[in-house]
Amino acid sequence: MSKVRWGKCSSEPFALRSGTRQGGIFSPILFSIFIDEILCKLEQSNCGCYINNTCFNSMLYADDLLLLSLSIHDMLSMLAICQEELEAVDMKLNIDKSSAIRVGGMESPHPPPKY
């Protein structure tokens, strides 16, 4: 059973049916196990940024994932990999907390398709 505590107030007890407890000692380890396959698949995709033949297409800090790509095509391919792998473990990308930035000239006069 779990409770939500806010200051000196606590909620009624309730059961957790899925997920890991935020701040729990095993939560980062369990999350890493779930997310590692995504990082491996991204590296195997040969998409994104490479410097001296070293893959720099993705970086992860806590539950934040950064994707780096030189083309819109590769970025969409990497997003598809993330979506597929997250769906396999019953997780989703939070579109409301996601953003993209583009640096440099336009490859095409048309914006990329909505994903």
Side-chain angles (χ1 to χ4, degrees):
M1 298 300 282
S2 295
K3 290 183 179 184
V4 174
R5 184 176 58 198
W6 186 297
K8 295 181 180 178
C9 300
S10 293
S11 71
E12 294 296 318
F14 58 92
L16 289 177
R17 297 195 188 341
S18 66
T20 59
R21 195 178 116 225
Q22 188 168 359
I25 193 163
F26 291 113
S27 297
I29 295 166
L30 293 171
F31 183 77
S32 294
I33 291 168
F34 273 98
I35 211 76
D36 187 59
E37 188 66 22
I38 293 173
L39 297 176
C40 291
K41 294 262 173 105
L42 288 168
E43 187 169 354
Q44 294 165 3
S45 73
N46 293 319
C47 292
C49 295
Y50 282 78
I51 301 172
N52 292 331
N53 295 323
T54 301
C55 180
F56 289 97
N57 68 0
S58 57
M59 296 176 203
L60 183 70
Y61 180 76
D63 63 348
D64 294 321
L65 178 62
L66 172 68
L67 299 178
L68 300 171
S69 173
L70 298 176
S71 73
I72 293 170
H73 177 268
D74 279 6
M75 180 60 70
L76 292 174
S77 296
M78 293 190 302
L79 284 168
I81 290 168
C82 291
Q83 181 180 12
E84 182 179 309
E85 291 301 311
L86 288 170
E87 284 176 356
V89 294
D90 198 27
M91 295 174 77
K92 301 180 198 184
L93 291 172
N94 186 340
I95 301 301
D96 293 332
K97 293 173 106 180
S98 299
S99 60
I101 185 171
R102 181 177 180 164
V103 179
M106 294 288 289
E107 305 175 347
S108 164
H110 303 290
K114 299 250 185 208
Y115 197 79

